[in-house]
Amino acid sequence: LLLLTASCASDPAGAASSAEQPPTSPSRPVARTPPSPGERSASAIAPATGEPIVDRASAERWFQGYYLAPEPHRVEEYLRYMDGDGTLRREGAQIVITSFLAEIFRANPDRVSEWSESLSNTGLDCRRVVISALWFAQVDDLESRMRAAAGPDADDMQLDALISSRPPADEDIPIVAPTVLDMFWGQFMATGDARHVRRIIEALPWSTDASDRGRQMIGAAARWSLTSNAVAHDRVLEICRDEVHRQPAETSAVLAEVIRRAETKRAVE
């Protein structure tokens, strides 16, 4: 059941490369800069609600730009859309949306009960994401919230074992697969917090370690995702610039190249 635990326990030699991650996974190159609040309001509008129309493009903008203009009131709407369009059937998307959602739960404790109840009639994949996010966020009244979100399949989800355990602290999560990087990106997209990007920066030196294929693959995914997101997100580039002189020499050398590539690409786009 627990997507984040599964990711942390993955075998790096068998993990999928970031090139194979679904479009909602930030370790893929990002195609566009997140919209400003003004740009978002200029999107196609549903006449009945006054809200932007929900489609794949708007779901991507909501996810990529959430930390700039949080819209927690649209959580249920977008989760239902991703549940219906098949996004949440893909493991990479499950992991990144779970960590993203956990941060939203932490920031909106007064709405967790409502979300747990209202999302209990979604598909099994969506409910697993919600349950995992509740656990990862360690919300108040955790057991009842998780059982409510599980809906009719609560008995089949092995909730007791999950409820009796606790997630590791963010700083203690081992980076054992590219999907763990996606988990950190999901947290960043919800918060804009530099500490999640710093965890990804930790893996950069591995990109030059030809003696360990698994570590090299993780390092390459870190370098790729940092570069693409530094192109798309001013905040990521800012964090990279702040960190380049604070990191050990081996890390700084790779990070400087990430910054150079991102700045070059931004200059021509």
Side-chain angles (χ1 to χ4, degrees):
L1 169 64
L2 183 61
L3 303 167
L4 299 179
T5 296
S7 174
C8 292
S10 296
D11 175 6
S17 72
S18 20
E20 297 168 331
Q21 298 301 317
T24 50
S25 169
S27 64
R28 288 177 60 97
V30 177
R32 55 189 165 272
T33 302
S36 68
E39 290 170 330
R40 185 177 301 180
S41 65
S43 302
I45 301 297
T49 64
E51 294 281 8
I53 291 172
V54 176
D55 56 17
R56 182 177 289 270
S58 69
E60 185 75 7
R61 287 194 298 270
W62 178 73
F63 171 75
Q64 294 280 351
Y66 187 91
Y67 70 96
L68 295 171
E71 294 181 325
H73 66 285
R74 306 202 73 188
V75 163
E76 180 178 352
E77 184 179 18
Y78 277 113
L79 280 179
R80 287 186 181 278
Y81 174 79
M82 288 185 280
D83 186 35
D85 84 340
T87 294
L88 297 181
R89 288 197 295 269
R90 300 192 289 269
E91 181 182 352
Q94 290 172 352
I95 291 169
V96 73
I97 295 300
T98 294
S99 62
F100 173 77
L101 191 59
E103 295 299 327
I104 295 177
F105 287 168
R106 286 171 175 157
N108 298 273
D110 57 321
R111 304 196 67 168
V112 169
S113 177
E114 169 197 340
W115 286 326
S116 300
E117 295 283 350
S118 63
L119 291 165
S120 64
N121 65 351
T122 56
L124 185 59
D125 291 317
C126 185
R127 281 179 284 139
R128 283 175 171 161
V129 165
V130 172
I131 289 165
S132 297
L134 290 167
W135 178 84
F136 193 59
Q138 289 291 288
V139 300
D140 292 339
D141 200 11
L142 178 62
E143 181 173 357
S144 63
R145 298 284 76 80
M146 289 176 68
R147 293 194 184 282
D153 298 301
D155 292 342
D156 300 324
M157 288 191 176
Q158 301 177 321
L159 294 183
D160 290 339
L162 191 57
I163 291 165
S164 64
S165 63
R166 294 183 64 84
D170 290 348
E171 60 271 18
D172 295 331
I173 296 173
I175 305 174
V176 297
T179 49
V180 179
L181 304 179
D182 283 342
M183 184 180 71
F184 296 144
W185 280 123
Q187 292 174 299
F188 171 80
M189 294 300 169
T191 65
D193 194 324
R195 64 194 174 97
H196 305 305
V197 178
R198 285 195 290 266
R199 289 303 318 272
I200 297 163
I201 290 172
E202 286 178 26
L204 285 177
W206 301 351
S207 64
T208 61
D209 184 3
S211 67
D212 188 323
R213 180 179 175 274
R215 282 167 59 92
Q216 187 177 40
M217 183 174 65
I218 295 168
R223 183 176 59 194
W224 185 15
S225 66
L226 282 165
T227 302
S228 61
N229 282 302
V231 172
H233 295 262
D234 292 344
R235 175 64 176 147
V236 175
L237 182 58
E238 174 190 2
I239 295 166
C240 289
R241 287 169 173 164
D242 287 345
E243 289 296 319
V244 70
H245 299 301
R246 299 177 181 173
Q247 296 292 323
E250 187 180 14
T251 305
S252 290
V254 184
L255 185 55
E257 180 63 14
V258 165
I259 294 168
R260 186 192 69 78
R261 290 178 180 236
E263 289 175 339
T264 299
K265 191 167 184 179
R266 287 167 68 102
V268 299
E269 289 189 351

